[in-house]
Amino acid sequence: MKQPVTDPRRLAEELLEHLKWHQDLGVRWVRREEGTRPAPGAARVARQPAGPPKAPPPTVRVAPQTLSMFDNVPSKPETLDEVRTDLGDCQRCKLSPLRRNIVFGSGNPRAQLMFVGEAPGADEDEQGLPFVGRAGQLLTKIIEAIGMSRDDVYICNILKCRPPGNRNPEQDEIASCQPFLYRQINAVRPRVICALGTFGAQTLLGTKEPISRLRGTLFEYRGAKLMATFHPAYLLRNPPDKRKVWEDIQKIRDYLRSLPAG
Ligand code: SF4
């Protein structure tokens, strides 16, 4: 567990880094509790002291696919452990001899928010955990930017094994692995699914529309909402698009906050 920072200089540095990250995402104001002193660097971000603009109600589209995300899954409720046990030492597609580890997923098995990426990379294959490389560190920052932690959400991929050289997933691999993703979704039953990148979005929505057109909209998705946004690995190559991801992730945050408690 991360130890609390007590050194004032280190605290100021961490706070400044935190504020710069939010500024990078397009945040233009931060709230300061009454009676607290201004934080170092806060003035650079706080350009609109009047408070947050009222968020418009989220736009909702209906997913273009006809299949339910609960199709092809057992009607009896399953746990993630049961799904993992059934996956076993999977040999169902041609990626199995190439992997070091199956990367099943990690996080809160009752998460309200679930992230679905494309496939494990080298770091993930090595550690058997999703989103642990540089893209994963960026995803962690995105999650923390809406006041959550990785322990609050559930993270997995369409494919559980690394494609060689990080090439794109192929249709037969997706077809073999996809039922396990649907069973994971069925076990977690999140309120919002955030599809990261083209393959995550197109596979879940059953469309070939580009991610640039799919992102930014909350889809009605068989009892849940689905938001597609850019993959963190893409953001590492295209930092200016962090702002669009921040807009998408704020819509998710606002939707989750609008849900009744419990
Ligand atoms: S990618 Fe999925 S279907 Fe293919 S071997 Fe790995 S776990 Fe099995």
Side-chain angles (χ1 to χ4, degrees), residues 87 90-93 95-96 99 159-161 176-177:
L87 184 65
C90 185
Q91 314 284 324
R92 293 172 178 82
C93 84
L95 294 178
S96 59
R99 70 170 180 244
L159 295 187
K160 313 302 182 211
C161 301
S176 300
C177 217

Side-chain angles (χ1 to χ4, degrees), residues 195 197-211 214:
T198 300
F199 279 91
Q202 292 184 343
T203 301
L204 285 172
L205 293 171
T207 178
K208 288 293 177 196
E209 268 197 74
I211 184 74
L214 293 172

Side-chain angles (χ1 to χ4, degrees), residues 40-53:
R44 297 181 204 182
V45 177
R47 291 179 190 162
Q48 294 180 17

Side-chain angles (χ1 to χ4, degrees), residues 26-77:
V27 177
R28 289 291 168 266
W29 59 269
V30 290
R31 189 192 307 276
R32 180 168 65 85
E33 296 296 326
E34 284 301 316
T36 57
R37 291 189 308 163
R44 297 181 204 182
V45 177
R47 291 179 190 162
Q48 294 180 17
K54 212 171 173 59
T59 311
V60 176
R61 284 168 65 186
V62 177
Q65 69 160 10
T66 52
L67 275 179
S68 162
M69 68 180 176
F70 303 122
D71 285 353
N72 300 321
V73 299
S75 53
K76 171 182 150 301

